[in-house]
Amino acid sequence: MLTKSSTEVVRQQNSALVLSALRRKGSLSHTEIAEQTGLASATISVITAELERSGTIAKTEQHVQGGRGRPRVLFAPRRDCGYVIVVRISSDIVQYSLADYGGVLLDRFEEARSQNVSGTAAFGQVFVAALERLLQRSRLDKQRVLAVSISSKGLVAGDGARLLWSPVFGREELDFATLLGEDWRARIMLSNETLLVAQALAAKAEEKGDTFKGLAAISLGHSIGLGLARTGRAGELDVSAPNFGHMLHAPSAGLCRCGSYGCIEAAAGFYGILRAAFEVPSDTIPAKFVPLAEMDKIAAGARQGQRMPGYAFRQAGIALGNGISRLLSLYEAVPIYVTGQGTRYFDLLHKGVEEGLAQSLQVRLEGLPEITVVGDEQGLVFDGHLDRALSAVDSDITAAGHA
Amino acid sequence: MLTKSSTEVVRQQNSALVLSALRRKGSLSHTEIAEQTGLASATISVITAELERSGTIAKTEQHVQGGRGRPRVLFAPRRDCGYVIVVRISSDIVQYSLADYGGVLLDRFEEARSQNVSGTAAFGQVFVAALERLLQRSRLDKQRVLAVSISSKGLVAGDGARLLWSPVFGREELDFATLLGEDWRARIMLSNETLLVAQALAAKAEEKGDTFKGLAAISLGHSIGLGLARTGRAGELDVSAPNFGHMLHAPSAGLCRCGSYGCIEAAAGFYGILRAAFEVPSDTIPAKFVPLAEMDKIAAGARQGQRMPGYAFRQAGIALGNGISRLLSLYEAVPIYVTGQGTRYFDLLHKGVEEGLAQSLQVRLEGLPEITVVGDEQGLVFDGHLDRALSAVDSDITAAGHA
DNA sequence: ATTTATTTTCTCGACTGTCGAGAAAAAAGC
DNA sequence: GCTTTTTTCTCGACAGTCGAGAAAATAAAT
């Protein structure tokens, strides 16, 4: 079912286009905006005037330029137009960040997640209090926050801000929208962590200009995450975080901490590798936490040619390879980016991955997918947060229009 | 990267909206169109006038009506506005159909696919000749055909009309666009068969009005097909046919006719079931063709409680269940529709399917997906063809506009 | 037979949007 | 100070949608 269109929709779309160009490039002149967007100069005048009047963008006074002729005046998003809060929930800490509309980090603090205080109710209180604290530290009114972007590992409901399953809270559902309630005017967004990695990588790839079609980001660590970015037919970016880590690999992978048997994570997550390396029965309840040092030791053993550690990493690689082959069967061919702490063992996983990939028709037809290891996962997650939150704010602004 | 919009785009979109409403309902009056589309009466006048002038729609003279007041005049697509050719390629026959712009079947014939004449080159000649014959039989000029919609089992390239892999031609690629060359002005479309089933079912579901989110169609037979339909964020229908049948199930499934090991099809396709039932080694090269009677015999055995036939169907069910669980992990939850010849054994498969599904976290969280068996696969495929081809033609018409 | 009521369709003017061309602005070079 | 060059702004033309009311076409009432 299509939906009707009108001149207002046109304006909205073109305003969004201008705003997103401005956001990407930081600041642009009238003529540069016209070049970037393909819109006529006259149209740019109208749109910039409107955005300026609403306080979304402003002329920057500095016009550094050597050439002759009338100097260009640059437009840029007004940093004080609004603010976004970014919350990264990881297994051990929760990081709260405040950034302005220009994407500049203003404040940040972290809180350890005390292991004993569990349950969503307790966490909710801590969470709300931390947001208040973040505001107080910068003497910022709650109303000036336009988006709160939260990330966690786990499964997020497609529609809103509901965490369906997470390594931290298990099946206890957590709805951030109702948690924050009515007094926040901000848009509440919850995203899977690896989705944000995919978002950040996709944004970077689009920046480069080479026709971007899609990519998959896989995060290796205690758990396994997947983020998928694709461009829809309208050219818009579509990112999602399917439940890759707990997709069925093979029953032999053993008990997963989600309670099922045979998840990819049960073979390729840190605890799975640990279990296999030490020949612990595969139906043993998985370790809650595996110190990196422990994993390093197993890896060292594997690199020295020890049998079981090597076997463990190879099995993990096969689980990943099989999973990726299934991913490629069900989606189009996309380049794969691997990130997370587990990438330091990628030399050990690599062979298993290729082995696991090679088994399927899809790979035989299209060849092995391009696999790239990228570092700084946390930085990418934050970039993804900003990209996603600020685009959402932008579209809210253009949607509001002159209403 | 978004794209700029303009008033012409608005008109195009709204014209398409009117045309699609007209196509869905068959014929509508001015006021009914306004109700359906939400457009203002004045806009309807302009758009219908333009479509009428271009010969796409026409007023039907019959205005049966009992009420008082000025009688409604109905608009309907002009059946002679153009024609579409539908070709269904199956393993044994090729069916050629001609329909008009109103979706009415005008002519149809079938040709047996002689098993000895293999190779894409030979088939290409037969194919082109058959299309010419179809035109001659109805004394129709080639230029009046606006779309040729072809379907086959197998893997279709996302962009155009290239068959990448098929049970019939294997890895021999077949590009229908170049095959038909320049002298056809028609749009050449190639779709996976089960994709069309999904398209037809989705169209029916949208018709019903209950907010349609998506569905998956699975075709059971000698091979296993998947069609996936989802509504994008713009409300448009997005259908695809991922490579489900040859997605990796488990190495134990044995050799598949695609040449890989462990495909779903190798366990759940007819030849896989046959192989398991007769305890043929699983690396045996699969049977080219399994008569239904043969399958019926195995099924009868299974229903009488014979061990190996029962085991074969159960393993097939598990392969399907596992595959569906992976599908649900990587996409959102969607209702499943099962179709194809294999549905007659669904009583035998059913338990295995549930068993295979129950293993994953996704299913534990969201419960078993709704699974419905639907008959008349060939009818659905044809409906899907028409829906897809005529929508494509519609969008070509509105895109051309007054150019 | 004529008038009235009712429903549908068409038409007109207002409004919003984009676009191209040329005017106005603002600096550098002479 | 004048010209050249580049950028930005402005104006009129054109395309599209919308709401209101006019026009059309029929059934019912007088």
Side-chain angles (χ1 to χ4, degrees):
Chain A
M1 185 56 187
L2 293 164
T3 167
K4 78 168 179 178
S5 189
S6 62
T7 51
E8 283 107 71
V9 174
V10 171
R11 162 57 59 91
Q12 199 173 309
Q13 166 111 354
N14 288 341
S15 292
L17 192 59
V18 169
L19 205 47
S20 87
L22 236 34
R23 154 126 308 127
R24 267 209 319 284
K25 303 287 178 179
S27 68
L28 291 172
S29 71
H30 181 109
T31 33
E32 286 167 326
I33 296 174
E35 280 168 20
Q36 289 282 324
T37 59
L39 292 167
S41 165
T43 310
I44 305 297
S45 288
V46 181
I47 290 178
T48 50
E50 187 172 306
L51 287 175
E52 203 177 357
R53 196 166 39 73
S54 76
T56 311
I57 65 173
K59 288 178 179 145
T60 62
E61 59 298 328
Q62 44 130 0
H63 14 120
V64 274
Q65 194 192 4
R68 180 160 161 139
R70 180 171 173 173
R72 304 182 160 185
V73 304
L74 298 178
F75 287 100
R78 275 183 64 165
R79 286 181 44 196
D80 61 349
C81 161
Y83 299 87
V84 297
I85 291 178
V86 169
V87 185
R88 286 202 303 115
I89 303 175
S90 69
S91 55
D92 49 347
I93 61 140
V94 184
Q95 183 191 64
Y96 300 88
S97 309
L98 178 71
D100 63 24
Y101 185 65
V104 177
L105 180 64
L106 299 179
D107 186 20
R108 168 174 286 175
F109 62 81
E110 297 180 353
E111 287 185 349
R113 278 197 12 82
S114 47
Q115 297 290 346
N116 43 5
V117 177
S118 65
T120 55
F123 175 79
Q125 290 190 345
V126 174
F127 177 81
V128 171
L131 292 196
E132 297 290 351
R133 188 144 77 88
L134 194 62
L135 291 181
Q136 274 176 17
R137 280 165 58 130
S138 296
R139 308 208 196 309
L140 211 66
D141 189 73
K142 198 179 281 180
Q143 298 304 309
R144 306 236 47 206
V145 177
L146 302 180
V148 178
S149 181
I150 307 156
S151 69
S152 162
K153 292 184 191 297
L155 210 59
V156 171
D159 50 350
R162 259 162 50 239
L163 187 59
L164 299 179
W165 184 91
S166 64
V168 183
F169 302 109
R171 289 186 61 165
E172 259 191 285
E173 209 172 295
L174 188 47
D175 185 346
F176 286 94
T178 60
L179 183 61
L180 291 178
E182 297 298 320
D183 38 338
W184 289 79
R185 112 172 151 154
R187 172 194 277 240
I188 315 298
M189 312 169 68
L190 174 64
S191 314
N192 171 285
E193 199 175 282
T194 316
L195 177 146
L196 295 174
V197 173
Q199 171 114 21
L201 290 172
K204 285 211 176 84
E206 276 195 325
E207 205 63 15
K208 279 228 201 99
D210 32 299
T211 52
F212 173 76
K213 288 195 60 180
L215 64 81
I218 295 183
S219 169
L220 304 179
H222 197 67
S223 62
I224 307 290
L226 172 72
L228 215 51
R230 289 169 302 156
T231 49
R233 70 181 64 176
E236 86 291 359
L237 195 64
D238 186 16
V239 291
S240 59
N243 191 6
F244 186 72
H246 300 282
M247 181 168 86
L248 180 65
H249 164 51
S252 65
L255 181 60
C256 177
R257 63 172 160 167
C258 77
S260 291
Y261 278 81
C263 300
I264 290 182
E265 200 174 293
F270 283 175
Y271 63 88
I273 296 175
L274 179 86
R275 198 164 55 184
F278 288 131
E279 300 186 67
V280 178
S282 73
D283 57 351
T284 314
I285 290 174
K288 273 255 152 103
F289 177 71
V290 181
L292 255 191
E294 187 80 27
M295 290 299 299
D296 282 343
K297 250 187 275 177
I298 304 174
R303 291 196 183 102
Q304 281 162 23
Q306 287 176 25
R307 211 174 65 82
M308 285 317 289
Y311 173 80
F313 278 106
R314 179 155 161 271
Q315 289 305 111
I318 290 176
L320 283 174
N322 281 347
I324 295 173
S325 96
R326 287 169 181 140
L327 177 69
L328 297 177
S329 289
L330 290 185
Y331 288 91
E332 286 126 56
V334 284
I336 312 275
Y337 292 85
V338 185
T339 181
Q341 290 186 316
T343 50
R344 61 190 353 188
Y345 315 121
F346 200 68
D347 57 323
L348 297 168
L349 295 167
H350 186 255
K351 232 180 106 184
V353 170
E354 291 204 345
E355 193 179 331
L357 275 168
Q359 295 172 7
S360 81
L361 171 66
Q362 195 75 19
V363 171
R364 277 175 38 225
L365 283 176
E366 296 173 347
L368 284 174
E370 190 185 324
I371 300 185
T372 315
V373 174
V374 290
D376 190 21
E377 183 182 28
Q378 302 192 355
L380 287 172
V381 170
F382 186 71
D383 291 350
H385 263 298
L386 281 187
D387 192 45
R388 203 167 162 73
L390 290 175
S391 324
V393 168
D394 284 352
S395 81
D396 283 349
I397 288 175
T398 50
H402 34 202
Chain B
M1 187 51 188
L2 294 163
T3 167
K4 77 168 179 178
S5 189
S6 62
T7 50
E8 283 108 70
V9 175
V10 171
R11 164 56 60 92
Q12 200 173 309
Q13 166 109 354
N14 287 341
S15 292
L17 192 60
V18 169
L19 206 46
S20 86
L22 236 35
R23 171 158 310 287
R24 267 207 319 283
K25 303 287 177 178
S27 67
L28 291 173
S29 71
H30 180 109
T31 33
E32 286 168 326
I33 296 174
E35 279 166 22
Q36 289 281 323
T37 60
L39 293 166
S41 164
T43 310
I44 305 297
S45 287
V46 181
I47 290 177
T48 49
E50 186 173 307
L51 287 175
E52 202 177 358
R53 196 168 37 73
S54 76
T56 312
I57 64 173
K59 288 180 179 144
T60 63
E61 59 298 327
Q62 43 130 7
H63 14 122
V64 273
Q65 194 193 4
R68 196 158 150 133
R70 180 171 174 173
R72 305 181 160 185
V73 305
L74 298 177
F75 287 100
R78 276 183 64 163
R79 286 181 45 195
D80 61 349
C81 163
Y83 299 87
V84 295
I85 291 178
V86 169
V87 186
R88 286 201 304 115
I89 304 174
S90 69
S91 56
D92 48 346
I93 62 138
V94 184
Q95 183 192 63
Y96 300 87
S97 310
L98 178 72
D100 63 25
Y101 185 66
V104 177
L105 180 64
L106 300 178
D107 186 21
R108 168 175 285 176
F109 61 81
E110 296 179 353
E111 287 186 348
R113 279 198 11 83
S114 47
Q115 297 291 344
N116 44 4
V117 176
S118 66
T120 54
F123 174 79
Q125 290 190 345
V126 173
F127 177 82
V128 171
L131 291 196
E132 297 288 352
R133 188 146 76 87
L134 194 63
L135 292 181
Q136 274 176 18
R137 280 165 57 130
S138 297
R139 307 207 197 312
L140 209 65
D141 189 73
K142 196 178 285 182
Q143 299 303 308
R144 307 236 44 208
V145 178
L146 302 181
V148 178
S149 181
I150 308 155
S151 69
S152 163
K153 292 183 190 298
L155 210 59
V156 172
D159 50 349
R162 259 162 52 240
L163 187 58
L164 300 178
W165 185 90
S166 64
V168 183
F169 302 109
R171 289 185 62 164
E172 259 193 286
E173 208 172 296
L174 188 47
D175 185 347
F176 286 92
T178 61
L179 182 61
L180 291 178
E182 297 298 318
D183 39 339
W184 289 79
R185 107 170 157 158
R187 171 195 276 242
I188 314 297
M189 312 168 69
L190 174 64
S191 313
N192 172 284
E193 200 174 281
T194 317
L195 178 145
L196 295 174
V197 173
Q199 170 114 21
L201 290 172
K204 285 210 178 85
E206 276 195 325
E207 205 62 17
K208 278 225 203 103
D210 31 298
T211 52
F212 174 77
K213 289 195 61 179
L215 63 81
I218 296 183
S219 168
L220 305 178
H222 197 66
S223 63
I224 308 290
L226 172 71
L228 215 50
R230 287 169 303 156
T231 49
R233 70 180 65 177
E236 87 289 0
L237 196 63
D238 185 18
V239 292
S240 59
N243 190 6
F244 185 73
H246 300 282
M247 182 168 85
L248 179 65
H249 163 51
S252 64
L255 181 61
C256 177
R257 64 173 159 167
C258 77
S260 290
Y261 278 81
C263 299
I264 290 181
E265 197 173 295
F270 282 175
Y271 61 89
I273 296 174
L274 179 86
R275 197 164 57 185
F278 288 132
E279 300 186 68
V280 177
S282 73
D283 57 350
T284 315
I285 290 174
K288 274 257 152 102
F289 176 70
V290 181
L292 255 192
E294 186 81 27
M295 290 299 297
D296 281 343
K297 250 187 275 177
I298 303 174
R303 290 195 184 102
Q304 281 163 23
Q306 287 176 27
R307 211 174 64 84
M308 285 317 288
Y311 174 79
F313 278 106
R314 181 156 158 269
Q315 289 305 111
I318 290 177
L320 284 174
N322 282 347
I324 295 172
S325 97
R326 287 168 181 140
L327 177 69
L328 296 177
S329 290
L330 291 184
Y331 288 91
E332 288 126 55
V334 284
I336 312 277
Y337 292 85
V338 185
T339 181
Q341 289 186 316
T343 51
R344 61 187 356 186
Y345 314 122
F346 200 68
D347 58 323
L348 297 167
L349 296 167
H350 186 253
K351 234 180 104 183
V353 169
E354 292 205 343
E355 192 178 332
L357 275 169
Q359 294 172 8
S360 82
L361 172 65
Q362 195 76 18
V363 171
R364 276 176 37 226
L365 284 176
E366 296 173 347
L368 283 174
E370 189 185 325
I371 301 184
T372 315
V373 174
V374 291
D376 191 20
E377 183 181 28
Q378 301 191 358
L380 287 172
V381 171
F382 185 71
D383 291 349
H385 264 298
L386 281 187
D387 192 45
R388 203 168 163 72
L390 291 175
S391 324
V393 168
D394 283 351
S395 80
D396 283 348
I397 288 173
T398 50
H402 34 201

